[in-house]
Amino acid sequence: MKSYVFNLFLIFSAVAVWLPSGRLHAAVSADTLRVDTLACDSAAGDGETDTLTKYDKRVEKYRRMWNFLIPTQVVAQYAGNMGVMSFGVGWNYGNRRQYETNLLFGYLPRFHSERSKTTMTLKQNFIPWRIGLGGDFNVEPLSCGIYFNTVFGHEFWGREPRRYPDKYYQFLSTKVRVNIFVGQRVTAMVPHNRRKFIKSLTAFYEISTCDIYLRSMFQDGNVSLGDILGLSIGLKAQMF
């Protein structure tokens, strides 16, 4: 009897969930069809007044806003003060797609510490210009930018712990590092008739340093520019 009641409960629960979701899906589909139809009618009106209501325009704006959040890139990077290997997604935008924002998560091996760690990096790139090499290749002779990196772990702090004398460390945090970089890129475009998952593939290298390294060079005459620079390489797949 208990088994029968339980099965009956599951059936009624499934029906209760399915019916509202079906109505919601139908309502969304109807709204989508209505907005698309009105947009087509308006475009074909040959000077007629716009028939889209305020609600329809708000729906279109809402969709465009969420579409903007869809990542357009997949990025993998080796080194760069963000872990041995980092993987993430990115967005490119601007009139010439000259701006990029990347969110990456990296892996830092244990080395001489107690455990391995995970890093997170928010990176902003600027690509001033691109030069076509003929065919399906182009080069970006200069890329530059800034990124903020953090390491997850109790060993790193945002504010100086009380166990240290006041201003013992002359920087704000050991948890967040500010990095700057310059680099170059080469891009191979995938022909239209062969595209399945990606639009192009870019190989790049970057030379970077962080705020602590720069501070060390200015305060210690024995530290040279070559001592504070690091090299990283990576791949970027442009999805659309």
Side-chain angles (χ1 to χ4, degrees), residues 14 24 33 51 73-74 87 117-118 138 198 211-212 233:
L24 178 60
L33 180 60
T51 57
Q73 306 170 342
V74 177
F87 301 91
K117 301 175 181 64
T118 303
N138 63 69
I198 64 172
D211 50 353
I212 290 182
I233 58 175

Side-chain angles (χ1 to χ4, degrees), residues 36-72:
D36 293 342
T37 302
L38 289 174
C40 292
D41 291 343
S42 177
D46 294 332
E48 294 180 2
T49 57
D50 189 2
T51 57
L52 290 178
T53 66
K54 291 183 178 180
Y55 169 78
D56 298 327
K57 293 178 180 179
R58 186 167 62 250
V59 169
E60 286 188 341
K61 183 178 180 181
Y62 178 80
R63 288 174 179 162
R64 286 195 300 267
M65 179 186 69
W66 282 103
N67 285 339
F68 181 76
L69 298 179
I70 300 174
T72 60

Side-chain angles (χ1 to χ4, degrees), residues 139-157:
V139 63
E140 296 162 352
L142 174 64
S143 64
C144 56
I146 185 171
Y147 56 93
F148 300 87
N149 171 261
T150 185
V151 182
F152 297 106
H154 65 275
E155 305 93 334
F156 305 93
W157 38 264

